[in-house]
Amino acid sequence: MTDEPAPASPARVVSLYNPANVLTVLRIVLVPVFVAIVVASGLTGTGARIAACLVFCLASATDYVDGWIARKWSMVTSFGKIADPIADKALTGTALILLSAYDRLPWWVTIVILAREWGVTALRFWVIRYGVIAASRGGKLKTVLQIAAIAWYLWPVPEPFDAVGPWLMGAALVVTVVTGGDYLVQALRLRRDH
């Protein structure tokens, strides 16, 4: 018997071309497709609105699936950590801007949500040396509510059910602002403790 330590196993190298990253890139690629459908249709006509909604929902679903794959099969990469939130912000931000541009959603709602989204992203980079601000349950609820509200606005929902859209967006807006405040507190705590 020797007292020499066992050799450390080599670190597992995760390919950049893994399914999680492919889905993240697909989400980015679907953003211009979504924009093209919305702009070509002007958000008028049942078929075009359904197509825009389906592309948006498909792209949104890749956000859940790529994260699940990355965690389940240990395929987390530096590229994925950076590209995933950028893809999310590009998709939801573009959808909100288009909804406001076509007078479906007040501009102030879009501005508040985008300010919070980019603000939290900036906070995460601000404290990255000290720790990670993980997505909270509130943050995940915010994402679900935003996706549901945007999809409701995109889909040609008949009256009186179309009135549900503003309520969904209102709930998304409240949760967005509250969780933004929570992330700010976490970031300040991380900076203070280090």
Side-chain angles (χ1 to χ4, degrees):
M1 282 209 145
T2 65
D3 291 334
E4 292 180 24
S9 58
R12 181 174 177 260
V13 177
V14 179
S15 170
L16 186 63
Y17 305 102
N18 67 59
N21 286 346
V22 168
L23 286 172
T24 299
V25 171
L26 174 63
R27 186 158 68 260
I28 294 169
V29 168
L30 285 174
V31 172
V33 173
F34 170 69
V35 171
I37 293 169
V38 171
V39 170
S41 71
L43 277 182
T44 59
T46 302
R49 289 182 67 185
I50 289 172
C53 186
L54 292 177
V55 169
F56 174 79
C57 290
L58 173 66
S60 297
T62 66
D63 181 30
Y64 170 77
V65 177
D66 68 4
W68 180 78
I69 288 171
R71 288 185 299 275
K72 177 86 173 164
W73 283 288
S74 300
M75 293 182 175
V76 176
T77 63
S78 296
F79 170 81
K81 287 179 188 176
I82 293 169
D84 184 67
I86 290 171
D88 298 344
K89 306 295 183 276
L91 179 63
T92 55
T94 299
L96 291 166
I97 289 168
L98 287 170
L99 286 172
S100 292
Y102 288 98
D103 294 325
R104 305 274 195 232
L105 183 66
W107 275 106
W108 70 266
V109 173
T110 295
I111 291 166
V112 168
I113 291 175
L114 292 182
R116 181 273 190 200
E117 295 295 340
W118 290 104
V120 168
T121 300
L123 280 174
R124 285 188 163 128
F125 283 113
W126 185 53
V127 299
I128 202 161
R129 288 183 295 164
Y130 309 108
V132 174
I133 302 176
S136 65
R137 285 186 180 169
K140 291 174 183 174
L141 174 63
K142 177 266 312 178
T143 301
V144 169
L145 285 170
Q146 284 182 6
I147 291 168
I150 291 168
W152 201 277
Y153 274 89
L154 291 170
W155 193 268
V157 179
E159 291 183 358
F161 305 107
D162 60 338
V164 172
W167 287 98
L168 273 173
M169 190 59 77
L173 182 64
V174 168
V175 175
T176 297
V177 171
V178 169
T179 56
D182 180 52
Y183 287 133
L184 176 60
V185 169
Q186 287 184 56
L188 293 173
R189 220 177 265 148
L190 269 172
R191 289 292 298 234
R192 183 195 65 209
D193 295 344
H194 288 90

